[in-house]
Amino acid sequence: MKVLVIHNEYGQKGGGEHQVFMAETELLRRHGHEVLTYAQSNLDVLERGRLATIKMLFQSRFNRTVYHELRRLCEIEKPDVVHVHNFWFSISPSVYAACLDSGVPVVQSLHNFRTICVNALLLRDGKPCEDCVGRTALKGVLKRCYHGSRIHGWFVYRMQRGFRKLINVPAYYLALTEHSRDIFVRSGFPSDRVWVKNNFVADHFAGITNLPSKPRALFIGSLMTHKGIRTLLDAWGRIPDIELVVVGDGELKDGLMELCRSKDLTHIEFRGYLNPAEVMKEIRQCSFLVVPSEWYETFGLIVVEAFSAGKPVVAANIGALGRLVEDGVNGLLFNPGDATDLIRCVGLMRDEVLAKSMGECARKCYQQRYSENVGYRNLIEVYEKATLQGGS
């Protein structure tokens, strides 16, 4: 099968969307498929200056240059299917029109909520927000939800209007969990075309890793309020006997480190940004992963990474996390933003028998739902169904 994979990078190649784009592309090639890629980076546009950026933002509703490039590419290469990961803001929804006019079926991954929310997060004032679900995102523009700017929000709103005119072009949309599927369907996406296809991760550990002799918790993520880092540290200030390793960077890092120093919380260690190999090492050495997010994560690759190592996950019961983690089975769930409830869950993790049992279940869960083999089967199934339909 010949597959054209399209992705608009934000500029941060370490992000989850870019990781999935790379992983799926490599997986298809390993299985003998011919994979073509068409990628653009917003960072390249930003580096060309303000005028170039403004011009591209005006084209984010429909980029005619991209349309003609993709139309030619489809007509020359004749791919069996086009898989779009992201089109904001350099590529634009023009990708759909190019495929439609070339008669090539499209599959669209729904990595974020950009097509229904101007900031793509369904988040306002640090809390989940569904004000624009099922209606236009004009309120998000007026509330300055994107970069604190009505102008920036208006550009996203224009893109959304352009997207809505082409919403029926993709043969299938791929939501990452049932939670996000429900939100997209409530927002007007055709329910018979929105499938759930979980992300997968490579089996870096090839089995269950040993638990450390002393309990050791691990947080991996951006140090931002909506990631629940303040709730995490609030709880850990009352858990002096369990080490917490914090991996990641962000706007709150310096202030949080100073807070821990002032309270003499020496059992909390900030490691900063780590490369993928170092992250895998930290997962191997931990007892359990903590994911205290206070917003709608669309998936949670790091949760699946922990599962693959046989590590249970203590997570906030919100968004995709409440679907990935089964309470008492492969981890524990607590009320988002509730440090006391988080402390309760951590207390249960002191039970070595329970922790080991949940770790074993986490590994089985990975093998059954999130392994590369499962991911490949799911991907090919949707491609084959899309090709049977042909270009809409």
Side-chain angles (χ1 to χ4, degrees):
M1 183 179 290
K2 181 183 283 191
V3 184
L4 172 59
V5 185
I6 296 175
H7 183 49
N8 197 135
E9 301 169 2
Y10 299 123
Q12 297 178 338
K13 295 182 182 295
E17 294 179 25
H18 183 77
Q19 290 179 38
V20 173
F21 160 67
M22 295 296 292
E24 291 188 352
T25 300
E26 175 60 26
L27 184 67
L28 289 167
R29 286 172 174 158
R30 289 208 312 267
H31 280 83
H33 300 281
E34 183 178 354
V35 182
L36 310 171
T37 61
Y38 179 92
Q40 293 201 22
S41 172
N42 292 342
L43 184 60
D44 292 341
V45 178
L46 295 172
E47 288 178 344
R48 292 204 298 268
R50 184 177 181 181
L51 290 179
T53 301
I54 293 174
K55 179 181 178 180
M56 189 64 76
L57 284 170
F58 271 104
Q59 294 176 333
S60 64
R61 179 170 179 166
F62 194 97
N63 190 316
R64 294 192 177 278
T65 300
V66 169
Y67 168 82
H68 290 298
E69 288 179 353
L70 288 174
R71 181 81 186 271
R72 285 195 298 271
L73 184 60
C74 287
E75 291 178 350
I76 293 172
E77 296 292 344
K78 295 178 170 55
D80 297 301
V81 64
V82 170
H83 186 167
V84 183
H85 282 272
N86 179 36
F87 55 69
W88 172 258
F89 56 82
S90 298
I91 293 177
S92 84
S94 61
V95 58
Y96 293 164
C99 294
L100 177 65
D101 293 344
S102 300
V104 183
V106 177
V107 172
Q108 170 73 61
S109 287
L110 299 172
H111 292 290
N112 58 58
F113 299 109
R114 181 83 62 192
T115 51
I116 58 179
C117 169
V118 295
N119 66 27
L121 302 174
L122 291 180
L123 184 77
R124 189 170 80 228
D125 298 328
K127 297 179 180 179
C129 171
E130 295 190 17
D131 284 355
C132 297
V133 174
R135 46 183 76 89
T136 74
L138 188 58
K139 187 172 183 178
V141 177
L142 298 177
K143 292 288 185 178
R144 298 184 173 89
C145 291
Y146 189 44
H147 294 319
S149 167
R150 287 177 178 167
I151 294 176
H152 288 172
W154 178 76
F155 279 119
V156 184
Y157 178 69
R158 287 184 71 252
M159 177 277 291
Q160 293 173 348
R161 295 290 298 272
F163 164 78
R164 287 287 169 171
K165 292 183 177 181
L166 298 165
I167 194 171
N168 289 314
V169 171
Y172 292 103
Y173 289 95
L174 303 181
L176 304 183
T177 65
E178 287 287 351
H179 176 265
S180 59
R181 180 188 184 278
D182 173 68
I183 290 174
F184 283 110
V185 170
R186 285 194 285 125
S187 297
F189 282 60
S191 61
D192 59 330
R193 299 189 186 193
V194 185
W195 281 28
V196 174
K197 187 196 78 65
N198 301 136
N199 287 330
F200 65 85
V201 298
D203 192 356
H204 298 290
F205 303 97
I208 296 175
T209 58
N210 295 326
L211 294 174
S213 57
K214 294 177 61 178
R216 190 169 194 255
L218 176 66
F219 168 89
I220 301 173
S222 301
L223 303 187
M224 303 175 72
T225 300
H226 65 272
K227 287 290 188 177
I229 186 65
R230 294 188 187 278
T231 299
L232 178 67
L233 296 188
D234 181 13
W236 239 264
R238 292 174 269 168
I239 310 174
D241 59 322
I242 297 181
E243 180 184 3
L244 171 65
V245 176
V246 177
V247 174
D249 213 336
E251 59 189 29
L252 301 180
K253 182 182 177 182
D254 292 341
L256 294 175
M257 291 180 66
E258 178 58 34
L259 175 67
C260 290
R261 280 194 294 268
S262 67
K263 294 187 176 183
D264 197 28
L265 302 179
T266 57
H267 61 301
I268 300 176
E269 179 184 0
F270 288 83
R271 297 295 308 279
Y273 171 80
L274 299 180
N275 64 44
E278 292 170 327
V279 169
M280 293 304 110
K281 182 179 178 181
E282 291 295 339
I283 292 175
R284 184 183 298 276
Q285 294 176 346
C286 79
S287 304
F288 58 93
L289 182 76
V290 185
V291 187
S293 292
E294 296 172 12
W295 70 296
Y296 292 160
E297 300 270 6
T298 51
F299 191 65
L301 282 174
I302 198 62
V303 172
V304 178
E305 292 281 13
F307 285 173
S308 71
K311 305 293 186 179
V313 176
V314 176
N317 190 6
I318 186 172
L321 299 177
R323 304 299 178 98
L324 295 175
V325 178
E326 299 174 67
D327 193 37
V329 179
N330 53 20
L332 297 170
L333 294 171
F334 65 94
N335 297 322
D338 189 338
T340 300
D341 200 31
L342 172 54
I343 293 170
R344 175 190 62 82
C345 289
V346 174
L348 294 174
M349 295 303 300
R350 291 187 172 90
D351 184 334
E352 293 183 7
V353 175
L354 177 62
K356 182 178 179 181
S357 173
M358 290 192 296
E360 292 171 350
C361 288
R363 174 65 186 178
K364 290 178 182 177
C365 181
Y366 163 75
Q367 293 173 316
Q368 294 170 359
R369 303 176 192 173
Y370 310 116
S371 68
E372 286 187 322
N373 288 338
V374 174
Y376 174 72
R377 289 199 301 268
N378 292 341
L379 202 55
I380 291 303
E381 179 183 5
V382 73
Y383 285 173
E384 290 176 344
K385 287 184 177 295
T387 56
L388 289 175
Q389 292 188 19
S392 299

